[in-house]
Amino acid sequence: MSVLVNILGEKCPKCGIGKVFADKGNIFLLRLPKMNHDCSHCHHKFEKEPGYFFGSMFVSYAVTVAEMIVFFLIANQFIDSYVTIVVLIGILAIVLSTFNFRLSRMIWIYMLDGKDKKI
Ligand SMILES: [Zn+2]
């Protein structure tokens, strides 16, 4: 449970105290989230090598598709037009893009570099 709380709270995978992201980003201001280079508490380096977060794109894809399916199942109960639902899903994907960016990187970090992993 604490791992889930740490992932959602964007805490360091090693100490659970330091923040991974310095800036949460804002899609309406076209600003991407900005990661810290290392943990402010235990100095754990987040990006081990160039391209370390390439795999988080696949996590992001899975998270985004899951959100779309859940939204479709809910919206299908209230909205009759599939075109409207697809447009709303597109808007949802844009609005949640920075959240998905941060969430997918956090899941990726915890998958590869969690507390029990010795890298
Ligand atoms: Zn740390």
Side-chain angles (χ1 to χ4, degrees):
M1 189 65 183
S2 68
V3 171
L4 186 62
V5 171
N6 284 352
I7 287 174
L8 293 175
E10 299 169 356
K11 302 289 186 186
C12 169
K14 290 295 178 192
C15 67
I17 296 172
K19 297 289 283 179
V20 174
F21 286 93
D23 182 14
K24 288 183 179 285
N26 188 332
I27 194 64
F28 301 111
L29 300 175
L30 301 176
R31 223 176 47 220
L32 282 175
K34 189 172 183 180
M35 287 187 76
N36 289 322
H37 184 262
D38 55 4
C39 176
S40 60
H41 186 257
C42 69
H43 303 291
H44 173 69
K45 189 177 174 186
F46 295 129
E47 189 170 5
K48 304 283 182 213
E49 58 194 6
Y52 183 71
F53 291 108
F54 179 77
S56 70
M57 287 192 309
F58 302 105
V59 177
S60 177
Y61 175 74
V63 168
T64 304
V65 169
E67 289 168 352
M68 289 176 173
I69 290 172
V70 168
F71 181 81
F72 175 80
L73 292 175
I74 293 171
N76 198 27
Q77 305 298 316
F78 305 106
I79 301 170
D80 291 332
S81 168
Y82 285 127
V83 174
T84 306
I85 293 173
V86 168
V87 169
L88 289 175
I89 285 174
I91 293 170
L92 181 76
I94 292 169
V95 169
L96 292 178
S97 61
T98 55
F99 172 76
N100 289 339
F101 179 92
R102 288 182 281 124
L103 180 63
S104 62
R105 284 195 174 203
M106 290 305 300
I107 292 171
W108 188 251
I109 286 175
Y110 272 78
M111 276 176 25
L112 296 183
D113 207 15
K115 264 186 180 153
D116 300 332
K117 306 281 180 167
K118 306 281 188 234
I119 296 176

